Structure formats: C-alpha cells, structure tokens
Amino acid sequence: MLNRLSHTQLLRYAGLFTWAVVGIPLIVFTWHFPADASDSAQGLATPGLTLASLAYLAFGVIYWQVTRALGARRPRLVDALLLAALTLSAIVVSHQTGTGMGAVLMLIIAGVIPWLVPLPVGVLWLILQHGALVPVFSRMEGYTPGFAVLQAMLYVGYSSFAMVIGLVAKQQAEAREDQRRLNSELRATRALLAESSRMSERVRISRELHDLLGHHLTALSLNLEVAGHLTEGRAQEHVRQSHTLAKLLLTDVREAVSEMRDEGAIDLSGAIRTLVEGVPALDIRLDMPEPLTIEDPERAHVLLRCTQEIITNAVRHAGASTLWLTIARDAGEARIQARDDGRGIEGDAVPGNGLRGMRERLAAHGGRVDIITGRGQGFALDIRLPLENAA
C-alpha cells in the first residue's frame, strides 16, 4: 500500500499520524483536570488546557489544508500565512500546557517548510519558532534560562533533520515531475517523427508510381497509338481498345499520385496532446482543432517546439497553476495563443534562451512572436507562423 503513495502523500500522512499521537496526552489531561482545577503534579497549566485543545485542533485542520495540494502548485502568500498559523498554534499549545508538546508539533512543521517558503527563509523560520519556546522551558522546574536555551536548541536539531527529509522529498518530487515532462516531450517528438515518416513514405511511393508506372504507361500508350495506324480490320479494333485502356490506367495513376501527395500532411494534434498530458502539475486548458494538419514537416516541428517551450516556461519560470493554450490554423498561417496566471514580469520582458530559440525558429520560416506581460498579470504569447514560403 505504501508503494502506491507519492512523496507528498507519505509526508502528509506521517505528519497527521504524529499530530494524532501528540494529542493523546493532551486529551487525557483535559479529561482528568478540568479548567478550574489546580495545577497538576506533572506541571501542566491546567487552566489553559481548553485553549490548548482548541489550538491543537486548529493545528490539525490547518495542516490538513496546507498539505492538500503540496507540490502541485507554486507556493503562494496564503501558504505562508497558513504556515504562520501553524507555528502560532504550536506555540499556544506549549505555552498553555507548559510542556514541550509544541516543539513536537514543530517537527511536523519542519517537514513542510521547504514546500512553502524558500530555503533561507525556512531556516530562519525554524530557529525563530523554537526561540518562542524558551520562556516555556524556563518555567519548568529545575530549568535555568541557559538550560531552557539548550533545550530549545535540542529541538532545533530534531526539526532540522525533519526539514532535510522534507527538502529531499521535495527534490525527489520535482525530479519525478521533470522526468515525466521529459518523457512526454520524447513521446511527442516520436509521434511527430512517425507522422513525418508516414508522410515521407507516401511521397516516396507517389514519386515511384509517377516515375515508373507513369513513364511506362505513357510509352505503352504511344506504341499502341502507332500500332493502331499500322493495323487493319479486327486487329486494329483491339489495338484501339488497348490504347483506350492504357490512357485510362495512366489517368488513374496520376489521380492516385495526386491524392497521395494531397493527403501527405502531418497531424500535429496527437503530439501536442501528448505534451499536455505529461504535465500534471499545470492545469492546461487546450483549445485545438482535430486533426491539426500541417503540410510542411519543418513548420510542424517548429509549432511543436514552440508549444513545448510555452509549457516549460509556465511550469519553471512563471509560477503558474493554469495555462490557456489555443492552437489554430487557416489557409495561410498557423497561430498559437497562450496565457497563464503566473507572476508575470514588470516592464519589457528580457528573453531567455528558450524565448530566443523560439524567435529564431519562427524567423527562419517568416513567423513572429508577440509577448504581453505585467507584474501579477501573467504571461501571454501570440505566435504566428506562415504555412507557405513568401514569394
């Protein structure tokens, strides 16, 4: 059963299990020491048990919410706010119970910190949240302020280990997503290659039919025409019929060759859908006619690579969760319109290697790309590619 769970699911359920186990002593002391009872011998601050129980339950609810889509999208401001609420809940549990229960809850927080905030911020967060527990440890019997700091540092070491585990899980999940995306790109390229091979084979067969059968049938028709002038009687009638059949057969061969050339277009829809299906971390809203036929294999390859680059930029650089992708063609040109809900760029966009490569591919065939972006407004591309060479 565990083999069926992803890295994020294992991390989530392990955290929930730890949270549930931590709550057992809290529930027991809440039942045995009502809110108006005196302080227990175990050192629990019993008047605050009700508030501690509420903070404990809030921790579980917030943790369930913040880990629901862990790794499926880019971290957002609301995720940082939920992380702050988690930390506050753990601190309240420790302060109200007068124990290190909150420090154990912070072990759970440490496992998800790498998923929600940048690593330098996460390290600082880890240290500061444990610093808030020093007053709790100072109130414990036999603890001096120095011992309280050492106790907090001990829990920092435990949490650091949990944080590294979370970081490794995140890196493994990202590596798996990259591998899945690369596999989809490979399958799309293979589909395009298969379409190109099919088209090339049809063109080769049509040329062979035209060059071999067409040549011999033309020669046969000329010879039969000559034979029709040299023969008389019934033999001449048979020669004329053969001449007529030869001309009909030559016409049929020419029509077959023309149909094979006209139908030798590449259907790009299958390759593009393979690209789209290989990116589960991004919600791609694809609008594309089927079949999407392109006569020129080189232009079909350019369109596929532009689509690939658009998806890659949305996943890696834009921080987008949704990509709207429209691909269409008319008699004269193919067009790709893409828009995401990512962070965008303020001012003029500086093209990276991907965008520069896209422009170079398009310019080689008379195409162009327009970039529309703004801070917090996402990233949009409008690509136009002529399907015929300019006169």
Side-chain angles (χ1 to χ4, degrees):
M1 178 180 178
L2 293 178
N3 294 333
R4 301 177 183 176
L5 298 178
S6 65
H7 296 80
T8 54
Q9 290 173 328
L10 283 172
L11 184 65
R12 185 188 196 196
Y13 295 138
L16 289 173
F17 175 77
T18 305
W19 169 79
V21 172
V22 170
I24 293 175
L26 182 62
I27 294 173
V28 170
F29 282 112
T30 301
W31 285 348
H32 285 275
F33 300 98
D36 57 350
S38 60
D39 290 347
S40 64
Q42 288 79 4
L44 288 174
T46 52
L49 283 178
T50 302
L51 181 58
S53 300
L54 293 176
Y56 169 79
L57 294 175
F59 184 96
V61 173
I62 297 170
Y63 182 81
W64 177 266
Q65 176 66 27
V66 79
T67 58
R68 186 174 59 179
L70 205 62
R73 50 175 169 75
R74 297 284 180 177
R76 302 173 298 177
L77 178 60
V78 66
D79 294 322
L81 296 176
L82 290 174
L83 182 61
L86 273 179
T87 302
L88 180 61
S89 300
I91 294 173
V92 170
V93 169
S94 269
H95 276 266
Q96 295 301 318
T97 60
T99 66
M101 289 183 181
V104 180
L105 294 178
M106 288 178 183
L107 287 172
I108 304 174
I109 298 175
V112 299
I113 281 179
W115 300 81
L116 304 178
V117 295
L119 186 58
V121 177
V123 172
L124 181 61
W125 193 299
L126 191 71
I127 296 173
L128 292 179
Q129 70 177 2
H130 285 85
L133 300 183
V134 172
V136 178
F137 297 140
S138 298
R139 294 199 305 265
M140 292 183 179
E141 185 177 354
Y143 273 75
T144 64
F147 278 128
V149 173
L150 290 176
Q151 183 72 11
M153 291 177 61
L154 178 66
Y155 281 111
V156 169
Y158 294 152
S159 296
S160 298
F161 183 73
M163 185 175 177
V164 170
I165 292 176
L167 180 62
V168 171
K170 179 188 176 185
Q171 292 174 345
Q172 290 291 325
E174 290 175 347
R176 186 172 3 180
E177 289 300 320
D178 287 341
Q179 184 180 19
R180 185 179 301 177
R181 180 178 53 82
L182 291 174
N183 286 338
S184 68
E185 292 175 3
L186 180 60
R187 291 197 304 270
T189 302
R190 185 173 61 184
L192 179 62
L193 180 60
E195 285 288 318
S196 299
S197 300
R198 181 188 62 83
M199 178 181 175
S200 298
E201 186 64 15
R202 292 177 69 93
V203 171
R204 187 190 67 82
I205 294 173
S206 67
R207 286 173 179 170
E208 294 294 330
L209 287 174
H210 180 270
D211 295 341
L212 297 178
L213 290 180
H215 173 74
H216 293 308
L217 287 174
T218 301
L220 176 61
S221 178
L222 292 175
N223 281 282
L224 288 173
E225 185 177 359
V226 173
H229 293 292
L230 298 178
T231 56
E232 297 179 354
R234 295 182 61 185
Q236 187 181 47
E237 182 64 27
H238 287 292
V239 170
R240 288 179 178 175
Q241 290 180 0
S242 299
H243 184 212
T244 302
L245 291 174
K247 290 195 293 184
L248 289 174
L249 182 57
L250 180 60
T251 302
D252 292 340
V253 169
R254 286 173 175 169
E255 290 179 355
V257 169
S258 299
E259 289 179 0
M260 292 183 72
R261 286 183 175 274
D262 292 340
E263 295 177 1
I266 294 177
D267 183 9
L268 203 57
S269 59
I272 290 178
R273 290 205 175 274
T274 301
L275 274 180
V276 170
E277 293 168 359
V279 191
L282 183 65
D283 181 16
I284 302 178
R285 312 286 178 85
L286 179 63
D287 183 11
M288 176 183 63
E290 291 194 23
L292 178 62
T293 55
I294 305 296
E295 289 75 16
D296 185 3
E298 293 185 2
R299 284 177 167 80
H301 184 260
V302 169
L303 289 175
L304 182 66
R305 290 294 172 243
C306 288
T307 305
Q308 173 185 324
E309 186 61 33
I310 289 170
I311 295 174
T312 300
N313 285 339
V315 172
R316 286 187 173 180
H317 308 301
S321 59
T322 306
L323 173 65
W324 290 268
L325 188 60
T326 302
I327 304 175
R329 64 153 295 174
D330 54 26
E333 71 174 9
R335 187 175 185 182
I336 301 178
Q337 293 175 293
R339 177 175 61 86
D340 61 46
D341 60 351
R343 62 178 66 93
I345 300 175
E346 188 174 356
D348 295 334
V350 179
N353 292 329
L355 285 176
R356 281 200 297 266
M358 183 189 301
R359 281 178 168 170
E360 290 169 359
R361 291 178 186 272
L362 292 167
H365 296 85
R368 62 183 177 86
V369 55
D370 296 323
I371 301 175
I372 306 168
T373 184
R375 178 69 65 181
Q377 299 178 5
F379 203 83
L381 294 175
D382 187 4
I383 296 173
R384 296 175 182 269
L385 178 65
L387 298 178
E388 295 180 357
N389 292 325

